[in-house]
Amino acid sequence: MIIAAHAIKEKIRRKELYIVAMIGVLVLILFSADGSTISIAGKPITDYDNLAPIFLIMVNAICGALAIFLSLKTIPNEYERKTSHLVWIRGISQTRYHSELAIANGISCMLAEGIMFIGMILFTLMKHRQDQLWKLIPAYFIMALGIWIVSLLTSLLSIIFPGMVAGLIAAIVYLAGIFHSVLELFGNMVSGLVGKLLDIVLWIVPNLHEIQAQAGNIFTGSSISIHVIVKGLFIIWLLGLGFMIFKKKEA
Amino acid sequence: MGNMKKIAYGAVGVILLFTTIFTGRTGLGEENIEIYKKALELQSKMEGTGFENFRLEDYTVAFYDGKNDYVIVNSDTEITTQKREPVMDTLVATAWETDGEYQVLCPTVEKLQGLVNMLMPAAQVQTTPEDTDSANTDNAYTQESHVATIWHEAFHCYQLTNYEQGIEKLIGAEDRETANVADTNLIVTEVDGNEQVVNLYKKEIALLEKAINEDDLDVVKEIILEYKQLDEERKEFLSSECQLAEAYYTVMEGTAYYVEELAYANLQQPEKQDDRTNKNVVWDINQTSANDIKLEPYTEGTNKYYNIGRAQCLILDKLSPDWKADYDFSRELIELIYEEAGILQ
């Protein structure tokens, strides 16, 4: 895991991790400041139990976007700077090289998520709900599943496609993933070709909203679906398989 | 990657795949069965509606989960489900002719909750009773809402199974299927698009609300007389086709909504607030009377006819509690009201 450790160190050294994460934290702090409220149907939502799941939706949305940003250029940059040649001469396989870089991306994203969760901790303390702090731990790891999916997918796409195309596909999958449940309902309401096409798209795209909803369930006291968690792990496994299958031609 | 590592990776994948399949839900969610049971349990209370031989258990109920229909099979000993290809591959609660009979087709509660939450975000928010300034759960789609929806659609099955001729007479057509009464464009253009009609309607709704909450029958009759004048004035703006469409929706949906609300009220604890109206509702079915009921304001589209039709049912309950016993859906509810109130057409 030397390559992964090196890649993480570089991300920390280049401070991109902090910059993007701080933007997210700033949004969260602004969001949770005393003067600001969320209004739904014209009525303010102020209590912690209702706000926490809404915050998780925001954290999930921001972290997903961060995952694309943090993962898109890591592997192409290595090739651009010819660092890859230093790896080949040590007899390290492409699969291992790409996998370790992808793992580095995933861990960086989890770090960014961790920084975002500091905002959640502050918010919890501001609302004097110390008793709820422990819930942030399982919520963090459940949400990390979705973030890993986006990060691994972006890393994998960056091997197969040029930067812009990979970023675009990752962004579409990410958006379809966080709006999966909405699109699913929409698909149920429309029939014909559009409905069928949507069914196919939604079968391929992982349901990121479903994963985040499980984290929200911890706060609302609803049951957590083991199926969703295991399915998330299986998707990560499938993406991992992708690094064994797809190779970069330039190597 | 060494062979051992590959085998280990493959083994993890196989375990995850089987666990995913094993933990995945197959069949209809238990909550829907519970809802159906709850709906059936209401039967004895709902017999007080007075509609002759209207029983939920006479109609097949199928839940659509977005992929399949799950038909409820209600044997003497247990309730099971039978999977089938969806009759209507879309999220809609309806009464539909299937396999030679009218069946209740409705989405699963999970699907409908998802839909309501998507369309009305406030429905997702839960509040404590003292949290009165925050968003409340007015719009929340609950198990009780689903029970009431099943009763609503079962009532449509009852109408269509037993009173096809009456309905055809109501709309002046020989064949309900080919008649154009369900054309909502007429409502949109002639009713919603005409400010004078809308204003008259708003006044009519206010009068209906007043009549429902009035105990003195003489005062109720006076209100009805005032209503009749406004209604006649309003109808002058409408084509005969549009008037038939209104009659159709008011009778069909108004009575079904009346049954739906009755089911909903029956599910509430005594003296509990009716979440839909935010009013203390005391709904004594034996006396078929309702107090302090607030009607929903005028809305565009066909929704207003649910509201108006239900209000007319409630007024008929006051004027003639047995009106439902021989009602065959061939006449407008308002005609019956005028008749019972002794007001000549």
Side-chain angles (χ1 to χ4, degrees):
Chain A
M1 295 293 273
I2 298 163
I3 301 166
H6 175 76
I8 295 168
K9 273 183 200 163
E10 192 184 316
K11 280 196 187 296
I12 294 170
R13 200 167 47 239
R14 291 178 61 197
K15 297 184 181 59
E16 59 183 9
L17 186 62
Y18 302 122
I19 296 163
V20 284
M22 286 317 289
I23 295 168
V25 173
L26 202 68
V27 174
L28 272 180
I29 290 173
L30 283 174
F31 189 66
S32 58
D34 269 351
S36 60
T37 52
I38 304 172
S39 288
I40 290 179
K43 294 172 180 175
I45 311 297
T46 51
D47 59 309
Y48 180 83
D49 297 322
N50 283 323
L51 277 174
I54 296 172
F55 273 24
L56 289 182
I57 294 173
M58 288 191 68
V59 170
N60 189 48
I62 296 169
C63 284
L66 285 182
I68 298 175
F69 185 81
L70 290 170
S71 312
L72 188 61
K73 296 297 279 179
T74 312
I75 296 173
N77 278 350
E78 290 279 309
Y79 284 90
E80 238 170 61
R81 283 188 256 130
K82 308 284 181 203
T83 321
S84 48
H85 290 287
L86 298 172
V87 177
W88 310 142
I89 55 170
R90 287 182 172 84
I92 292 169
S93 70
Q94 240 199 77
T95 299
R96 188 182 148 195
Y97 182 42
H98 291 162
S99 302
E100 288 209 22
L101 289 172
I103 289 168
N105 284 338
I107 293 171
S108 306
C109 295
M110 272 186 87
L111 288 174
E113 186 200 356
I115 298 169
M116 297 282 286
F117 262 67
I118 294 171
M120 281 289 291
I121 294 168
L122 289 175
F123 169 66
T124 308
L125 293 173
M126 274 161 61
K127 291 282 177 187
H128 308 291
R129 295 296 299 271
Q130 286 84 338
D131 59 310
Q132 301 290 307
L133 278 174
W134 70 270
K135 292 182 177 176
L136 290 173
I137 300 166
Y140 171 81
F141 284 105
I142 291 174
M143 283 190 28
L145 280 179
I147 293 161
W148 266 93
I149 290 171
V150 179
S151 172
L152 286 178
L153 178 77
T154 312
S155 302
L156 187 62
L157 288 168
S158 75
I159 298 171
I160 309 165
F161 301 105
M164 279 293 283
V165 180
L168 191 68
I169 298 172
I172 291 168
V173 173
Y174 154 71
L175 285 172
I178 59 170
F179 292 112
H180 201 285
S181 302
V182 174
L183 291 170
E184 220 172 274
L185 281 169
F186 181 69
N188 288 147
M189 287 187 284
V190 293
S191 50
L193 190 65
V194 180
K196 293 285 168 218
L197 270 175
L198 209 55
D199 278 352
I200 295 168
V201 171
L202 292 174
W203 190 78
I204 298 166
V205 172
N207 191 339
L208 299 173
H209 168 260
E210 194 178 53
I211 296 172
Q212 169 260 309
Q214 304 313 309
N217 284 354
I218 297 171
F219 289 89
T220 56
S222 308
S223 60
I224 297 166
S225 163
I226 300 296
H227 173 71
V228 172
I229 309 286
V230 181
K231 195 164 78 177
L233 288 169
F234 182 63
I235 294 167
I236 290 173
W237 180 88
L238 277 177
L239 289 165
L241 203 63
F243 290 96
M244 295 180 204
I245 298 165
F246 296 103
K247 312 275 180 193
K248 203 159 173 74
K249 281 177 187 166
E250 293 87 334
Chain B
M1 200 186 259
N3 278 344
M4 280 307 287
K5 280 184 183 172
K6 279 182 187 166
I7 292 167
Y9 191 80
V12 170
V14 171
I15 292 167
L16 285 172
L17 175 65
F18 279 103
T19 320
T20 305
I21 294 166
F22 181 72
T23 54
R25 198 187 68 204
T26 52
L28 183 67
E30 198 54 41
E31 199 182 348
N32 296 287
I33 307 270
E34 274 174 40
I35 284 168
Y36 180 71
K37 282 181 186 166
K38 256 190 192 177
L40 275 188
E41 282 165 12
L42 274 187
Q43 182 62 55
S44 59
K45 286 182 177 178
M46 292 298 283
E47 272 160 15
T49 58
F51 287 105
E52 198 70 16
N53 298 323
F54 172 43
R55 297 181 63 80
L56 174 65
E57 64 187 32
D58 290 345
Y59 305 102
T60 305
V61 175
F63 290 92
Y64 169 65
D65 74 346
K67 291 185 178 74
N68 299 293
D69 273 356
Y70 292 92
V71 183
I72 299 283
V73 181
N74 186 8
S75 73
D76 289 341
T77 49
E78 60 172 350
I79 292 171
T80 53
T81 57
Q82 223 167 40
K83 196 165 125 178
R84 74 172 176 205
E85 284 292 306
V87 172
M88 296 191 81
D89 202 359
T90 184
L91 287 185
V92 62
T94 187
W96 200 257
E97 196 169 4
T98 311
D99 301 331
E101 59 169 3
Y102 281 98
Q103 297 187 354
V104 175
L105 305 180
C106 62
T108 57
V109 67
E110 298 89 349
K111 280 283 167 194
L112 269 185
Q113 277 170 346
L115 185 68
V116 172
N117 289 347
M118 182 176 82
L119 299 174
M120 294 178 278
Q124 295 176 59
V125 177
Q126 300 161 348
T127 53
T128 50
E130 63 272 19
D131 197 9
T132 49
D133 290 334
S134 303
N136 56 35
T137 52
D138 281 5
N139 298 324
Y141 195 84
T142 59
Q143 274 202 4
E144 284 72 24
S145 315
H146 213 51
V147 170
T149 302
I150 290 173
W151 273 96
H152 179 117
E153 298 309 332
F155 192 73
H156 283 318
C157 291
Y158 166 78
Q159 293 168 325
L160 297 166
T161 306
N162 301 297
Y163 298 103
E164 185 93 18
Q165 282 183 334
I167 296 162
E168 281 165 2
K169 197 175 160 197
L170 171 78
I171 57 176
E174 281 179 13
D175 183 5
R176 190 184 60 85
E177 299 279 326
T178 53
N180 200 27
V181 287
D183 184 359
T184 51
N185 285 333
L186 284 172
I187 310 289
V188 173
T189 49
E190 292 191 37
V191 181
D192 299 332
N194 187 329
E195 204 181 328
Q196 281 167 293
V197 174
V198 172
N199 286 334
L200 284 165
Y201 245 140
K202 284 178 181 169
K203 285 180 193 165
E204 285 182 36
I205 290 171
L207 283 177
L208 287 175
E209 191 175 295
K210 214 168 140 188
I212 293 166
N213 294 303
E214 178 56 60
D215 287 331
D216 186 335
L217 287 186
D218 289 330
V219 179
V220 171
K221 286 173 187 173
E222 278 171 31
I223 298 168
I224 292 164
L225 194 62
E226 201 183 332
Y227 179 90
K228 186 171 181 281
Q229 285 162 353
L230 286 177
D231 204 45
E232 282 169 356
E233 193 185 333
R234 187 183 58 80
K235 280 179 175 164
E236 280 173 18
F237 291 97
L238 308 178
S239 66
S240 55
E241 289 88 358
C242 186
Q243 287 186 37
L244 281 179
E246 283 198 325
Y248 178 74
Y249 281 113
T250 309
V251 167
M252 296 297 282
E253 296 299 349
T255 49
Y257 189 38
Y258 167 83
V259 168
E260 177 188 336
E261 285 292 303
L262 209 56
Y264 195 77
N266 270 318
L267 288 163
Q268 307 293 308
Q269 294 299 316
E271 295 172 12
K272 197 185 165 189
Q273 272 206 336
D274 183 338
D275 289 341
R276 297 181 178 198
T277 55
N278 278 334
K279 293 279 176 184
N280 289 316
V281 173
V282 181
W283 198 323
D284 186 336
I285 294 158
N286 296 325
Q287 291 177 23
T288 54
S289 65
N291 297 313
D292 204 11
I293 288 186
K294 195 156 175 59
L295 291 183
E296 290 151 31
Y298 179 90
T299 48
E300 292 190 351
T302 53
N303 274 3
K304 57 181 157 290
Y305 303 113
Y306 290 59
N307 199 24
I308 290 166
R310 176 195 164 220
Q312 291 177 353
C313 291
L314 291 171
I315 293 170
L316 275 169
D317 282 348
K318 278 181 188 296
L319 297 173
S320 171
D322 295 329
W323 70 274
K324 287 158 281 189
D326 56 356
Y327 183 58
D328 66 355
F329 301 88
S330 65
R331 296 176 69 194
E332 285 192 60
L333 297 165
I334 197 66
E335 273 180 44
L336 300 186
I337 291 176
Y338 294 154
E339 204 171 271
E340 295 297 338
I343 303 165
L344 294 174
Q345 276 274 49

